[in-house]
Amino acid sequence: MYENEINRRRTFAIISHPDAGKTTLTEKLLLFGGAIHVAGAVKSNKIKKTATSDWMEIEKQRGISVATSVMGFEYRDFKINILDTPGHQDFAEDTFRTLTAVDSVIIVVDSAKGVEAQTRKLMQVCTMRKTPVMIFVNKMDREGKNPFDLLDELEAELGIKVRPLSWPINSGIKFKGVYNIYQDKLNLYTPNKQKVSETIAVDIHSADFDNMVGEDDAEQLRNDIELIDGVYDPFDVKDYLAADVAPVFFGSALNTFGVKELLDCFVDIAPAPLPVDAVERTVDPHEEPFTGFVFKIHANMDPNHRSCIAFVKICSGKFERNVNYKHMRLGKQFRFSAPTAFMAQKKETVDEAFAGDIIGLPDTGNFKIGDTLTSGENLHFKGLPSFSPEMFKYIENADPMKTKQLQKGIDQLMGEGVAQVFTHQNNNRKIIGTVGQLQFEVIEYRLLHEYGAQCRWEPMSLFKACWIESDDPAELENFKRRKFQYMAKDKDDRDVFLAESGYLLQMAQSDFPKIRFHFTSEF
Ligand code: G4P
């Protein structure tokens, strides 16, 4: 029905460890799409340079990040949607959820630093979801690691086979360019932050080539390419789409170098919108009726405007403005008069959008993360797992007059996915679980400013919270009875075991072999 529209969409996220060059690469991709005209136009939404305590600065930066949460642009015949992910690791959960809304991922790695912690963690989510990934090794204009060593490191650290599709000619001050293995073309390096250098078709065995890059480097490249062909299997798009192989490109985002090679190959081979699993069935993007799910809620931090934006990934069909859609969890019809699409860095009201697109729906508290919208069918999209948090605190009411407000605030913030809440079975106290200290500050600040509630934190020592299940109901009951003082419920009333230490978790696992312990809420 909307075949052409849907097939030309490429919806993806760029992920990296902070500072590897994600913002710079995003900006250069927009530059190629003509979505912006000068470099430096994309404001970084990173919070990395801010001390944890500098909360107002974070506020300001969050303001910027709404606009850059999704950036759409046209390139060749394709409609590209880049989903931004927060750089700060304390918001890693946000990034995990964003990854459920993309069809593929580009990973940026700093050539000198190689694979870093955050990248490793995010790659695990891609592996779990079998998301196709491409890798861009950035900052080749600096002295970095040997590219062959880097490829080995990528394979070992990211747990995926790699296949170079471009290859650097030297690096650092001697960096001369990249050879495009994918297209058999040469791109000579002229450092330039604004312009794109010309690509030349050249036979690397010709004398011309030696003249261009110098004999030594020409010889080196020929040897390297021979080695690559000997060591790595020929590239097969099917393996990439099956998430078995990651194509690797080299370049310098800052100097707009090697970026076009990446982008051209990306639009050629990256998947168009893929089918999405719902509890009831798998939904094909080409089905005519509209379906979608909320993967992110962006609250307006200004207390005078309590509205939020719910980000919806369209899974199938066409979304239209002012048409009634069913909100599954509430069982109610909603129509949206001002849905927004994201083009470059602008939000604008749209009349229609297609599978693969992301739309923003202004909301006053009706949406929670994971909510499904449909044209009428009863469907619940899966795949928005919560991950076992890493830090835990009891949350207490610091103002007895505001109990209701506190309760409402906690409910809504958890619905937005700011953090996770568990209720201790032993004493009914509420525990907030986060991946970083910053989230506690976000919660405290927002409870006060948006709900007029005051909270107090009490430390607790907890190693992990894990979801448990068993095929043997009697054994599950037995476990819950024996471990009563360590049991909690999550927001959906599921059983969670609170392990105080790695040792106690191991003990529980070996004492109760029939119980399965899960570190994500979906299993
Ligand atoms: P991030 O979003 O992944 O955190 O990284 P970002 O793009 O902000 O890049 C981090 C730093 O690395 C920036 O420098 C950026 O200019 C630099 N950078 C990005 N790509 C390249 C490259 O190809 N070569 C070199 N040499 N540097 C690169 P900064 O000093 O932290 O910020 P800025 O003041 O330059 O914006």
Side-chain angles (χ1 to χ4, degrees):
M1 184 75 183
Y2 311 117
E3 187 123 0
N4 289 344
E5 278 300 337
I6 294 171
N7 284 344
R8 73 185 195 94
R9 278 166 166 72
R10 300 283 182 270
T11 301
F12 75 106
I14 304 180
I15 57 178
S16 71
H17 193 85
D19 258 356
K22 180 166 67 75
T23 312
T24 313
L25 180 65
T26 306
E27 176 175 285
K28 295 307 158 84
L29 294 176
L30 291 176
L31 207 56
F32 279 113
I36 55 171
H37 298 289
V38 283
V42 175
K43 294 279 181 299
S44 146
N45 73 357
K46 329 168 259 200
I47 300 173
K48 57 174 189 179
K49 282 171 194 151
T50 317
T52 333
S53 57
D54 193 355
W55 172 235
M56 285 323 289
E57 188 52 32
I58 295 167
E59 286 283 88
K60 259 193 268 159
Q61 301 202 11
R62 268 186 65 107
I64 297 168
S65 70
V66 176
T68 57
S69 280
V70 182
M71 284 164 281
F73 66 94
E74 301 268 341
Y75 180 71
R76 289 177 20 201
D77 290 332
F78 296 91
K79 162 81 192 293
I80 296 174
N81 296 311
I82 306 180
L83 274 59
D84 193 21
T85 54
H88 197 290
Q89 60 162 5
D90 283 12
F91 296 110
E93 186 95 13
D94 246 24
T95 304
F96 295 153
R97 280 191 297 261
T98 298
L99 293 180
T100 65
V102 301
D103 299 302
S104 66
V105 157
I106 292 179
I107 296 176
V108 184
V109 173
D110 182 323
S111 70
K113 294 193 178 138
V115 177
E116 295 170 89
Q118 185 86 340
T119 317
R120 217 173 289 130
K121 218 164 148 183
L122 295 171
M123 180 65 195
Q124 285 169 6
V125 183
C126 299
T127 308
M128 199 170 89
R129 303 180 52 81
K130 292 214 130 282
T131 309
V133 300
M134 270 185 194
I135 300 170
F136 184 71
V137 178
N138 190 29
K139 306 197 186 180
M140 290 309 298
D141 58 319
R142 291 213 184 139
E143 294 304 330
K145 297 186 181 183
N146 172 296
F148 282 109
D149 291 346
L150 259 171
L151 292 179
D152 289 346
E153 181 178 335
L154 291 169
E155 286 201 334
E157 297 278 334
L158 299 179
I160 188 164
K161 284 210 287 186
V162 297
R163 181 34 157 127
L165 288 188
S166 81
W167 196 252
I169 304 173
N170 249 319
S171 68
I173 44 168
K174 291 199 222 126
F175 183 44
K176 294 209 176 130
V178 284
Y179 180 67
N180 187 339
I181 302 174
Y182 176 65
Q183 289 181 327
D184 277 338
K185 279 191 187 142
L186 179 71
N187 194 346
L188 284 184
Y189 177 65
T190 38
N192 194 324
K193 296 189 174 115
Q194 300 283 353
K195 268 211 282 232
V196 184
S197 46
E198 284 299 312
T199 302
I200 316 154
V202 62
D203 178 356
I204 56 170
H205 299 283
S206 68
D208 273 359
F209 179 61
D210 285 46
N211 292 337
M212 281 175 203
V213 301
E215 258 171 50
D216 290 350
D217 284 333
E219 190 55 26
Q220 181 70 43
L221 180 77
R222 283 190 287 265
N223 291 339
D224 285 354
I225 299 289
E226 208 176 298
L227 191 58
I228 290 166
D229 287 340
V231 172
Y232 296 96
D233 292 334
F235 176 64
D236 187 336
V237 177
K238 282 205 288 304
D239 297 335
Y240 157 69
L241 293 173
D244 290 331
V245 166
V248 180
F249 291 83
F250 292 83
S252 164
L254 188 65
N255 296 292
T256 325
F257 207 79
V259 177
K260 190 163 188 297
E261 287 75 6
L262 173 78
L263 180 59
D264 276 324
C265 177
F266 173 80
V267 293
D268 283 348
I269 69 171
L274 296 169
V276 186
D277 284 336
V279 174
E280 294 80 358
R281 65 186 185 86
T282 299
V283 176
D284 189 90
H286 295 284
E287 291 176 24
E288 196 182 330
F290 158 78
T291 62
F293 67 86
V294 177
F295 66 94
K296 172 181 177 132
I297 292 178
H298 206 293
N300 191 333
M301 307 294 266
D302 176 352
N304 299 322
H305 301 91
R306 272 272 283 280
S307 69
C308 309
I309 296 179
F311 287 79
V312 174
K313 163 82 187 276
I314 304 181
C315 299
S316 69
K318 177 164 88 162
F319 171 93
E320 288 176 277
R321 191 161 81 91
N322 280 329
V323 166
N324 275 322
Y325 293 118
K326 185 168 180 182
H327 183 311
M328 287 306 305
R329 185 174 50 81
L330 300 181
K332 277 203 252 174
Q333 297 283 332
F334 280 83
R335 55 200 289 177
F336 304 94
S337 57
T340 49
F342 304 87
M343 283 309 282
Q345 302 143 277
K346 288 200 293 287
K347 280 197 304 171
E348 49 193 37
T349 303
V350 282
D351 291 324
E352 56 178 38
F354 296 89
D357 284 338
I358 310 296
I359 43 168
L361 302 178
D363 175 45
T364 47
N366 288 313
F367 285 115
K368 288 189 178 182
I369 297 276
D371 278 346
T372 300
L373 279 176
T374 74
S375 299
E377 186 181 347
N378 289 340
L379 281 176
H380 299 84
F381 283 107
K382 296 199 283 191
L384 283 154
S386 301
F387 291 81
S388 180
E390 284 160 26
M391 301 176 89
F392 301 87
K393 286 182 187 180
Y394 282 118
I395 184 164
E396 299 292 345
N397 189 0
D399 179 354
M401 305 295 285
K402 300 280 172 63
T403 307
K404 271 209 183 116
Q405 285 86 336
L406 184 73
Q407 190 52 47
K408 184 172 174 215
I410 293 176
D411 273 359
Q412 289 200 350
L413 293 185
M414 299 307 132
E416 255 180 48
V418 174
Q420 293 179 62
V421 62
F422 303 99
T423 309
H424 208 304
Q425 295 299 275
N426 202 16
N427 52 22
N428 258 332
R429 291 172 80 182
K430 295 236 180 303
I431 300 163
I432 302 289
T434 68
V435 288
Q437 174 60 30
L438 200 53
Q439 280 165 291
F440 291 112
E441 292 172 33
V442 172
I443 293 166
E444 187 172 335
Y445 179 93
R446 290 189 55 191
L447 284 172
L448 184 63
H449 287 83
E450 294 173 38
Y451 300 91
Q454 281 184 45
C455 74
R456 196 159 39 76
W457 301 107
E458 267 186 40
M460 68 183 300
S461 91
L462 205 56
F463 167 66
K464 279 262 176 226
C466 36
W467 288 265
I468 56 162
E469 61 160 1
S470 175
D471 297 329
D472 182 345
E475 183 66 353
L476 192 61
E477 279 317 305
N478 181 31
F479 181 87
K480 281 157 62 177
R481 214 174 30 249
R482 292 262 304 276
K483 301 282 179 195
F484 188 71
Q485 72 269 39
Y486 304 112
M487 292 306 299
K489 294 277 189 191
D490 75 0
K491 67 178 186 335
D492 300 317
D493 221 29
R494 280 178 304 184
D495 292 315
V496 173
F497 171 61
L498 307 173
E500 288 185 345
S501 68
Y503 175 71
L504 286 174
L505 177 60
Q506 266 179 9
M507 288 295 286
Q509 282 169 321
S510 67
D511 289 349
F512 293 88
K514 287 184 179 164
I515 306 281
R516 289 189 292 276
F517 297 77
H518 298 283
F519 299 97
T520 61
S521 64
E522 249 184 42
F523 34 82

